Amino acid sequence: MKLCICVDKKNGMTFGGRRQSQDFLQRAEMLSMIGKKRLWVSQYSSSLFDVSENIIVDDEFPTKVGDDDYCFVEDVMIDIKLCDTVVLYKWNRLYPSDRVFCDNLDILGFKRTSKREFVGHSHEKITEEIYRKVN
C-alpha cells in the first residue's frame, strides 16, 4: 500500500476532527503521480475529489487496499507497517493540530528517496517527500 498524507511543519494532520488545510494544486500533483492506479479515500475526504474509475470512496478502505494501490488519509490512521511507500505533502505553515503523523519514518524502516517543492494554490510552497520501505 502507498500512503499519501498532508502534514504541517510539525507533522500535524487534523485539529478538532477537521483537516488543517487543503490545496487543489497539491491534489492535482498527487493525482498526476498516481496516474491510472487506484486511489482509496474515506467519505470524509471524498468531497476533495471528482469520483472517477480509479478513485474509490470507502470508509473501510484500510482493510481493502491492494499492494499497488494508493490511499489518501486525513481522518483515519493506517498501520504504517502495511505501507511500502509514504508520500508526504508538507504545508509550509504551522497549524493547530491534535492528530500528528509519525515524525521519524527512518526509525520505522523507511528511507526518503525523493524531495521536491512546488507552488500550490493556497500555499506558496508545498514539499513532496517520498519514502520507501527499506528491506
Side-chain angles (χ1 to χ4, degrees):
M1 157 184 356
K2 291 147 186 34
L3 174 66
C4 298
I5 189 164
C6 296
V7 296
D8 71 5
K9 283 185 171 184
K10 291 194 175 182
N11 285 353
M13 294 172 51
T14 61
F15 182 68
R18 298 181 309 177
R19 72 181 57 93
Q20 296 173 320
S21 187
Q22 62 175 305
D23 190 292
F24 73 85
L25 292 177
Q26 173 272 322
R27 291 190 304 278
E29 291 284 331
M30 182 178 69
L31 291 172
S32 176
M33 175 193 65
I34 291 170
K36 297 289 184 189
K37 295 194 179 193
R38 294 192 298 181
L39 174 67
W40 295 76
V41 300
S42 68
Q43 189 68 40
Y44 175 80
S45 300
S46 66
S47 64
L48 298 175
F49 300 92
D50 293 329
V51 177
S52 67
E53 188 175 295
N54 68 322
I55 297 178
I56 300 125
V57 179
D58 188 332
D59 283 338
E60 301 298 320
F61 73 84
T63 63
K64 299 176 181 179
V65 175
D67 290 343
D68 290 331
D69 294 346
Y70 286 82
C71 58
F72 180 73
V73 173
E74 292 185 290
D75 60 327
V76 296
M77 295 304 283
I78 298 283
D79 184 353
I80 197 77
K81 295 174 194 150
L82 301 175
C83 301
D84 59 24
T85 303
V86 176
V87 183
L88 289 181
Y89 292 96
K90 294 185 172 185
W91 307 132
N92 64 325
R93 298 184 186 136
L94 182 61
Y95 295 105
S97 64
D98 53 15
R99 179 178 283 172
V100 177
F101 185 67
C102 65
D103 61 354
N104 195 339
L105 287 168
D106 296 333
I107 289 175
L108 299 172
F110 289 83
K111 180 178 178 174
R112 187 173 68 197
T113 58
S114 71
K115 178 180 178 177
R116 72 181 182 98
E117 295 177 349
F118 59 92
V119 176
H121 175 73
S122 58
H123 295 80
E124 60 271 11
K125 180 175 82 171
I126 298 172
T127 305
E128 175 193 79
E129 295 181 354
I130 300 178
Y131 293 82
R132 303 218 190 268
K133 188 172 267 183
V134 179
N135 293 335

